[in-house]
Each structure stands twice: as C-alpha cells, then as structure tokens.
Amino acid sequence: GQQVMQIPQYQHVQEGEDFTTYCNSSTTLSNIQWYKQRPGGHPVFLIQLVKSGEVKKQKRLTFQFGEAKKNSSLHITATQTTDVGTYFCAGPLDNYGQNFVFGPGTRLSVLP
Amino acid sequence: GAGVSQSPRYKVAKRGQDVALRCDPISGHVSLFWYQQALGQGPEFLTYFQNEAQLDKSGLPSDRFFAERPEGSVSTLKIQRTQQEDSAVYLCASSQSRQGRLLTANEKLFFGSGTQLSVL
C-alpha cells in the first residue's frame, strides 16, 4: 500500500537556526497536508499543497510540493522555542478518498 | 461545539475489559475519522464515516474493534477484550469534505484532544 516517509526522525537545533523536514510518498499524491503536534497535544492543520511545484509561505515557514507530486518539504527559518513539536505530512490514499496516510513525523527540539 | 470533543481524556483498563471511546465532531461536519497513535508514531488510520455510513474500516486492527455513528454526528469506538497492544492515543477527526468529489483546497482535518488508553 501507499507509504509516506519523513526524514529526519528527530532534529535538535539551537534557537535561531534553520530547520527542514522532508516527506516522500511511494505514490503520486493529489495533494499533501502538513500538521503540527505540540508535546501532549493533538495534530493541528498547517497547510495544504495541491499544485505541482507549489510553494507556500506562512511567516517563517515555507512549504514546497515537488514537481512529481511525490515529495514535499517544510522549512523553518530562524527557529524559535514555540516551533517545538512534531511535524507530520499526510497524503490522501486517492483523489476521491478521505483517508489520509500520515508520515511518522519529525520531532523538532529547539534549544534556547 | 467549537471543536472536536473526545471523552474520556484518559482511560485505564484491565486486560480483557471492554472500553468505549466517544467523539463529538464539529457541528455540520460530514466526515469523521478515527486514528490510533502509538507513542512517538504518526496517526494510523482506523476507520472513516460519511454521515452515518461507515465507508472504510480497513484500518481496524481486529474484529475486537468496532465503530459506529448511528445518527451521523457523535461516534463511538468500542474495543472489546482489550489487550496491552491496544494501549495508544485514539484520535478522532472531522472535516467538511465528502467522499466522491475531488479534494479541494482546505479539506483539512480537525482533531480532538484524543483519548489516551492504557491497558494493564
């Protein structure tokens, strides 16, 4: 079945450093979503990318969808302690289904 | 309500006991999902409802797991004869989207706070 992988599994950065997490799917995705889960919390939607090669920015966060729509990345510029959490990408099983497959996540720690 | 509500927040069960987990989705949301999240892992899909119809239950790990949404609103996930490997956080999510049409922008999932199940 479809698999969604993420690297790295963990990332420790000094506050102010940049951070990037990468998401790869075994199949072409119609769209990809990113979620953030704070420690002890639940996943919260960040963004959805739909178009091939799409780039979206949210303040210090930059999201990119690959040309082949099989990979995506999230880049955070100048991390802050509020960025701590686990970042998940999720892709639908098919264009019409609603079942999202989540990646294993990248856990970000930010040292002050 | 303002968000997805799940209860109980924590549940401790003895091995072999039956448990029932409740999810109250955002009012008007058509789709409801149950996910299982083990410690340090991503959410794993269990089952999906569109209104009262259970359209996909392929993620349910065994026949001890049963979910229902009889009136198309509140949903209950029931686990019979719990086992230690059932220990996890069970997350419920709802969305406005409907199966059968192309996903459009912002078909996002709204998650509840989850029920942390510990089976001793």
Side-chain angles (χ1 to χ4, degrees):
Chain A
Q2 182 196 53
Q3 290 187 331
V4 176
M5 303 304 297
Q6 283 183 255
I7 55 170
Q9 186 175 4
Y10 302 96
Q11 186 77 57
H12 306 278
V13 299
Q14 243 4 88
E15 189 172 22
E17 291 182 338
D18 292 355
F19 159 76
T20 304
T21 174
Y22 299 91
C23 176
N24 291 284
S25 170
S26 58
T27 60
T28 301
L29 300 170
S30 60
N31 71 92
I32 195 160
Q33 297 184 350
W34 285 90
Y35 291 80
K36 177 184 178 181
Q37 186 172 25
R38 294 181 185 274
H42 57 275
V44 175
F45 175 83
L46 292 176
I47 208 160
Q48 177 170 299
L49 304 171
V50 179
K51 299 176 183 177
S52 170
E54 187 172 14
V55 178
K56 287 188 176 180
K57 292 190 176 184
Q58 289 180 350
K59 298 182 179 178
R60 293 179 296 103
L61 278 61
T62 302
F63 303 84
Q64 189 166 6
F65 202 8
E67 293 291 339
K69 301 183 77 173
K70 293 181 71 172
N71 57 74
S72 181
S73 65
L74 159 59
H75 180 81
I76 303 178
T77 303
T79 55
Q80 300 175 358
T81 54
T82 53
D83 296 326
V84 165
T86 302
Y87 293 85
F88 295 100
C89 61
L93 282 178
D94 56 61
N95 287 341
Y96 297 90
Q98 302 299 318
N99 309 341
F100 281 86
V101 176
F102 279 76
T106 295
R107 184 180 299 178
L108 173 64
S109 298
V110 180
L111 305 174
Chain B
V4 178
S5 177
Q6 290 189 246
S7 61
R9 185 73 178 88
Y10 302 93
K11 176 68 179 177
V12 178
K14 291 184 178 179
R15 188 161 57 96
Q17 187 178 354
D18 297 349
V19 298
L21 313 179
R22 176 189 168 103
C23 173
D24 199 341
I26 293 174
S27 178
H29 275 194
V30 170
S31 298
L32 185 146
F33 307 80
W34 284 98
Y35 284 86
Q36 180 190 60
Q37 187 174 27
L39 189 64
Q41 303 294 318
E44 295 278 347
F45 170 78
L46 293 177
T47 187
Y48 157 63
F49 291 85
Q50 183 175 308
N51 295 311
E52 69 279 1
Q54 189 175 21
L55 298 187
D56 189 337
K57 54 181 181 179
S58 62
L60 295 176
S62 77
D63 58 7
R64 297 186 294 104
F65 287 71
F66 172 77
E68 60 182 4
R69 194 187 184 195
E71 297 179 358
S73 179
V74 171
S75 177
T76 303
L77 176 66
K78 297 179 180 179
I79 309 174
Q80 297 177 324
R81 304 181 303 281
T82 52
Q83 304 294 316
Q84 284 188 319
E85 61 263 29
D86 300 335
S87 296
V89 175
Y90 290 85
L91 294 165
C92 175
S94 69
S95 79
Q96 292 178 315
S97 60
R98 181 185 300 272
Q99 188 179 34
R101 63 184 179 91
L102 278 172
L103 292 171
T104 59
N106 295 322
E107 299 284 7
K108 56 186 175 182
L109 300 177
F110 293 84
F111 281 88
S113 297
T115 294
Q116 184 170 325
L117 173 65
S118 299
V119 181
L120 306 178

